[in-house]
């Protein structure tokens, strides 16, 4: 089965990922609908400019259409660093919680091999003592963020929902945490609700899944990523080097917005990322994220997971945030022109949104090099609309925005000031995982 072993040559796979992604619609139940609307380039650029105006040094959008005639569009605004280097969409950056999709792929491959049952207690697939014997949470509930697992990152940050420069320098930048210790931080808080009854985003969920992958295979998480995803897909700009602090090769500088907005942005590029490990420690590029998403949504043809695994990953359930649903390590966002699949990620200094149409025909990678700023987060998320849906209808009437226009001062939790929406009510809410 393709989701278990990638048997074809790397050259053939790389070509197949591009050529067949659009034809794998049966894997996720999409119909043979017309391709996506022409992106609104002016609208995308304007949205990126709002992100920069809100406090990010720079931002970019990479839009790629697959199936039939391949086409790519890249729009950049601002700078890759405060020294004045123009933003470069070909460089590497920290992808934050986009890493969760990679971890989910590893788990689904193990499930295809019969090495893990997603509906049995997860503790059976972890080192002894990792979870209490009384915890019957399943791998599926954990992948869906519906297990009631406390997010250990709350204990490492200054306050819930905020990054803060003080916490970063004190507990994040240079500290090296063992994954089992991150889980122990969470376990001491107990389960937060009856598993399966609610949704609450938790980074600890995907630390647990990384530990399970290691335990079941006897191989380090970084090696699993390299052998099963990075090398077969030729993701030459993608690495997992936690706890090494530096990013090798040409890369974008990340900046953490200072808690005191009167102080300069803090260069947060160098950090161990061990505090989030398999929940957010991957470094990649727009090119590689596009290739990964295209292969994933191609199901069995893409060589990562089987059609059935993809169906399960993309069978989403609603969350408390309007227009946002979540599957197994995959988020779904409802735009005005339809639903897109992927994930977002924020890790100190970096924000990324990676989404694709359900049939894989269009992938959009959005990026900004600043965090701890809710207006930047809202602005970047709302760039998805013009990128996927094109121009707003001319007759659209103004409506109020849930998260604001991206011009106000956000708090980093998606609950910033509400401003008039002059784009026909097409703004979408900022998701709740604004830290990672």
């Amino acid at each position: 089965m393709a989701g278990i072993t990638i048997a074809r040559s790397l050259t053939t796979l790389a070509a197949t990922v591009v050529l067949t992604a659009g034809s794998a619609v049966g894997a996720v139940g999409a119909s043979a609908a017309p391709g996506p609307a022409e992106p609104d380039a002016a609208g995308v650029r304007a949205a990126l400019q709002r992100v920069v105006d809100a406090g990010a040094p720079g931002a970019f959008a990479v839009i790629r259409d697959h199936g039939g005639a391949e086409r790519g569009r890249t729009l950049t605004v601002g700078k890759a660093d405060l020294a004045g280097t123009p933003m470069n969409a070909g460089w590497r950056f920290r992808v934050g919680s986009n890493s969760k999709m990679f971890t989910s792929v590893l788990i689904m491959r193990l499930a295809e091999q019969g090495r893990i049952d997603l509906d049995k207690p997860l503790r059976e697939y972890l080192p002894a003592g990792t979870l209490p014997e009384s915890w019957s949470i399943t791998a599926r509930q954990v992948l869906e963020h519906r297990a009631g697992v406390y997010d250990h990152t709350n204990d490492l940050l200054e306050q819930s929902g905020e990054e803060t420069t003080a916490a970063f320098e004190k507990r994040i930048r240079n500290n090296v945490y063992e994954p089992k210790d991150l889980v122990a931080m969470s376990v001491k808080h107990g389960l937060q609700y009856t598993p399966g009854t609610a949704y609450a985003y938790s980074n600890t969920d995907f630390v647990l899944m990384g530990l399970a992958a290691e335990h079941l295979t006897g191989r380090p998480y970084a090696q699993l990523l390299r052998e099963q995803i990075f090398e077969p897909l030729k993701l030459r700009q993608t690495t997992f080097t936690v706890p090494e602090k530096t990013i090798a090769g040409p890369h974008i500088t990340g900046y953490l917005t200072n808690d005191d907005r009167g102080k300069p942005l803090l260069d947060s590029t160098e950090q161990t990322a061990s505090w989030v490990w398999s929940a957010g420690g991957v470094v990649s590029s727009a090119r590689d994220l596009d290739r990964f998403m295209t292969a994933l949504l191609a199901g069995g043809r893409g060589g990562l997971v089987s059609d059935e695994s993809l169906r399960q990953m993309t069978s989403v359930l609603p969350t408390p945030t309007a227009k946002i649903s979540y599957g197994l390590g995959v988020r779904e966002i409802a735009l005005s022109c339809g639903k897109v699949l992927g994930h977002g990620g924020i890790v100190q200094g970096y924000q990324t949104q990676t989404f694709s149409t359900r049939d894989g025909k269009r992938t959009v990678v959005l990026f900004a090099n600043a965090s701890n700023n809710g207006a930047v987060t809202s602005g970047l998320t709302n760039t998805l609309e013009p990128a996927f849906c094109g121009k707003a209808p001319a007759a659209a009437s103004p409506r109020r925005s849930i998260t604001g226009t991206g011009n106000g001062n956000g708090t980093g939790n998606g609950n910033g000031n509400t401003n008039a929406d002059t784009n026909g009510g097409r703004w979408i809410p900022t998701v709740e995982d604004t830290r990672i």
Side-chain angles (χ1 to χ4, degrees):
M1 185 180 296
I4 298 176
T5 304
I6 300 179
R8 69 196 74 178
S9 71
L10 300 188
T11 301
T12 302
L13 174 59
T16 302
V17 165
V18 173
L19 294 175
T20 67
S23 64
V25 294
V28 289
S31 60
E38 181 69 16
D40 178 5
V44 169
R45 186 172 294 279
L48 295 176
Q49 186 61 55
R50 284 192 290 270
V51 170
V52 172
D53 292 343
F60 70 68
V62 174
I63 306 167
R64 290 202 60 84
D65 287 338
H66 302 288
E70 295 287 318
R71 185 180 180 188
R73 309 161 187 81
T74 298
L75 297 96
T76 63
V77 175
K79 307 299 180 182
D81 57 46
L82 293 182
T85 306
M87 176 57 72
N88 191 319
W91 288 359
R92 306 177 72 219
F93 47 87
R94 299 185 184 277
V95 307
S97 280
N98 286 273
S99 306
K100 291 178 171 66
M101 292 191 289
F102 291 83
T103 302
S104 185
V105 164
L106 294 179
I107 294 299
M108 298 310 293
R109 290 168 66 88
L110 288 169
E112 291 170 17
Q113 298 168 26
R115 301 172 76 175
I116 184 171
D117 186 328
L118 300 185
D119 297 306
K120 287 187 176 180
L122 178 59
R123 66 174 183 273
E124 297 179 8
Y125 307 104
L126 292 164
T130 302
L131 293 178
E133 285 294 320
S134 60
W135 285 25
S136 60
I137 60 174
T138 67
R140 189 180 305 277
Q141 291 168 338
V142 170
L143 287 167
E144 293 173 335
H145 295 301
R146 294 177 181 271
V149 175
Y150 178 84
D151 191 339
H152 72 274
T153 65
N154 291 329
D155 286 2
L156 298 177
L157 300 170
E158 202 67 26
Q159 54 187 338
S160 179
E162 298 288 345
E163 296 177 272
T164 83
T165 47
F168 175 67
E169 295 290 18
K170 184 178 181 180
R171 291 185 286 271
I172 305 300
R173 187 195 289 276
N174 299 307
N175 292 34
V176 177
Y177 299 95
E178 292 296 325
K180 64 181 179 61
D181 294 331
L182 301 179
V183 173
M185 289 183 205
S186 170
V187 168
K188 72 180 182 181
H189 291 274
L191 290 175
Q192 302 300 290
Y193 52 82
T194 302
T197 64
Y199 170 93
Y201 192 91
S202 172
N203 290 289
T204 313
D205 286 335
F206 280 77
V207 173
L208 284 167
M209 301 320 299
L211 281 171
E214 287 194 334
H215 182 65
L216 290 170
T217 62
R219 304 165 86 83
Y221 175 76
Q223 184 176 350
L224 293 172
L225 286 177
R226 186 174 63 253
E227 293 178 350
Q228 298 191 33
I229 302 176
F230 301 168
E231 291 178 352
L233 292 185
K234 296 186 177 180
L235 306 185
R236 297 190 176 96
Q237 294 178 295
T238 306
T239 57
F240 183 87
T241 59
V242 174
E244 292 182 17
K245 292 170 59 177
T246 59
I247 301 177
H251 60 273
I252 300 168
T253 302
Y255 295 96
L256 184 59
T257 307
N258 208 293
D259 306 329
D260 180 350
R261 294 302 198 254
K263 293 183 179 179
L265 297 173
L266 175 66
D267 184 339
S268 54
T269 308
E270 293 193 358
Q271 52 182 289
T272 71
S274 69
W275 76 298
V276 286
W277 195 53
S278 55
V282 170
V283 173
S284 190
S285 68
R287 169 199 172 275
D288 280 6
L289 288 174
D290 163 70
R291 185 172 289 239
F292 169 77
M293 283 301 298
T294 304
L296 175 60
L297 292 180
R301 292 187 178 93
L304 287 180
V305 297
S306 68
D307 289 352
E308 172 57 22
S309 289
L310 179 60
R311 185 195 66 78
Q312 293 187 52
M313 291 176 71
T314 57
S315 294
V316 298
L317 295 171
T319 75
T321 306
K323 301 185 181 182
I324 309 294
S325 300
Y326 206 91
L328 305 182
V330 175
R331 177 173 284 125
E332 180 187 83
I333 295 181
L335 303 177
S336 66
C337 59
K339 297 174 180 178
V340 294
L341 296 164
H343 217 289
I346 304 177
V347 64
Q348 289 89 353
Y350 299 90
Q351 302 201 33
T352 312
Q353 298 284 347
T354 306
F355 283 88
S356 176
T357 52
R358 186 168 276 262
D359 58 10
K361 288 184 177 180
R362 175 171 295 167
T363 297
V364 174
V365 179
L366 306 174
F367 172 83
N369 56 340
S371 64
N372 197 31
N373 184 326
V376 169
T377 303
S378 296
L380 194 68
T381 303
N382 283 309
T383 309
L384 291 169
E385 267 287 340
F388 278 107
C389 302
K391 294 183 179 180
S397 59
R399 294 172 58 186
R400 302 292 286 180
S401 168
I402 296 175
T403 60
T405 64
N407 296 320
N409 293 321
T411 62
N413 60 10
N415 294 320
N417 297 330
T418 299
N419 303 307
D421 178 356
T422 59
N423 196 30
R426 302 203 312 164
W427 300 102
I428 59 176
T430 301
V431 293
E432 78 291 352
D433 56 319
T434 54
R435 291 161 299 160
I436 185 67

